[in-house]
């Protein structure tokens, strides 16, 4: 049984959806030692998130930004939590809609993603700053 | 420590929500050898998803289809990514709202689901075709 | 390799979002024996959910309740599944939007959550009753 755990910091990203698959792989090359298992990617923040989606056409990520803004508007008359800026409460809501972690199978030393799948950093703040990621790979 | 990993293909399903719990169990009978652990079910696609929900009344799954269509409409004037059909971009968005994997505890050789819980395949395309699933069971 | 699994019952909570991090930790003190791994928290119900979000300001949880009610209204003319009350079908939908499990890295014997992260019980029913939680901690 093997367990590898790494923690690293993503430098600030613009608000929006960004593919970070290669960066994750760079941080945990030890997954090449795992024949069968999985990798968990966890973000330690509540106004950002992680998801898996289409890894090729950048307009997909732009449409994500517009659609999440549409179903979680920046201003709602019922929001009470707004001391940290109008992008904060919507960021919390979006974070729970996509989630703060993804888990991906590892097979024969590689992430067993589908052809079109990539890991997205979902940055919901205008100036979210650096984000800390914890990677945990487990398997045999 | 035991790790079992299987990959299989679901034949094409109609657009909508479908219970696949029994099919998953058929593919990985080895979970009977695990006393305590968990099973991860992962779908390798970005316009389909997996979730856990009510396993009995078929109208629940029909209401799911109507509600997800309501909050992620087929046509939005801001969608840019539409070269693959009008059901594609909504499918990507819905996929990240439900997620592409579920993890379920294994206890004494069985999935430890609640009485009313089943695993749903969420097929968001009109003609999504076959879908590949990766199962990873881990435990002692 | 260590695996610890616990099942426990949360007494009935009011409809809304509630922080249960301390209760989870009380139920599985054995995570102190894990240097690197993760904890899965799983709820065996389909009209409640679990998510990770802001752990300090109670207005965040109140805004969650109002926003999820806004995007999943209690009454929609297309709901067919309403025999169990008007809060049931919306509860199922909300459950799949937040998910029924969260996974958190364990590092040096503690949950490796961010400073502002807590585990939320999402109770979507008016009278949901007691809820069963399964905890699975795995690691070295």
């Amino acid at each position: 049984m093997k367990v590898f755990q790494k923690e690293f910091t993503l430098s600030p990203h613009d608000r929006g959806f960004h593919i970070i698959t290669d960066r994750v792989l760079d941080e945990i090359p030890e997954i090449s030692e795992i024949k069968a298992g999985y990798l968990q990617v966890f973000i330690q923040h509540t106004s950002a998130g992680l998801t898996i989606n289409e890894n090729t056409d950048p307009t997909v990520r732009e449409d994500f930004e517009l659609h999440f803004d549409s179903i979680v508007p920046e201003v709602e008359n019922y929001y009470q939590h707004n001391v940290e800026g109008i992008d904060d409460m919507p960021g919390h809501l979006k974070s729970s809609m996509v989630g703060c972690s993804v888990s991906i199978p590892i097979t024969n030393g590689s992430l067993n993603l589908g052809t079109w799948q990539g890991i997205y950093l979902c940055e919901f703040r205008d100036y979210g700053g650096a984000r800390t990621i914890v990677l945990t790979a487990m398997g045999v």
Side-chain angles (χ1 to χ4, degrees), chain A:
Chain A
M1 183 67 192
K2 292 162 184 163
V3 180
F4 303 108
Q5 194 168 63
K6 300 289 182 84
E7 202 168 311
F8 72 99
T9 302
L10 284 173
S11 57
H13 280 65
D14 287 340
R15 177 173 171 154
F17 294 78
H18 308 274
I19 296 178
I20 59 166
T21 317
D22 288 345
R23 177 65 194 277
V24 165
L25 290 170
D26 285 347
E27 294 287 338
I28 192 155
E30 294 88 347
I31 65 170
S32 66
E33 301 173 33
I34 294 178
K35 276 192 185 166
Y38 84 100
L39 171 70
Q40 188 209 36
V41 188
F42 183 90
I43 192 165
Q44 285 187 325
H45 302 270
T46 61
S47 56
L50 295 170
T51 193
I52 290 173
N53 221 291
E54 210 263 0
N55 61 11
T56 303
D57 184 349
T59 65
V60 171
R61 275 114 62 201
E62 293 170 26
D63 289 355
F64 260 75
E65 174 68 9
L66 290 168
H67 191 70
F68 276 90
D69 284 352
S70 159
I71 57 175
V72 188
E74 212 83 346
V75 176
E76 287 282 15
N77 57 18
Y78 52 77
Y79 290 156
Q80 301 172 77
H81 177 82
N82 49 26
V83 287
E84 294 174 61
I86 62 167
D87 57 332
D88 186 55
M89 189 60 222
H92 292 318
L93 289 161
K94 294 168 182 170
S95 176
S96 280
M97 292 176 75
V98 298
C100 67
S101 73
V102 294
S103 283
I104 303 164
I106 298 171
T107 307
N108 297 327
S110 299
L111 289 188
N112 198 348
L113 288 164
T115 309
W116 305 106
Q117 288 183 308
I119 306 169
Y120 284 19
L121 164 70
C122 315
E123 176 53 74
F124 297 127
R125 299 299 308 264
D126 292 337
Y127 302 99
R131 299 299 196 176
T132 303
I133 304 281
V134 184
L135 305 175
T136 307
M138 213 181 283
V140 288

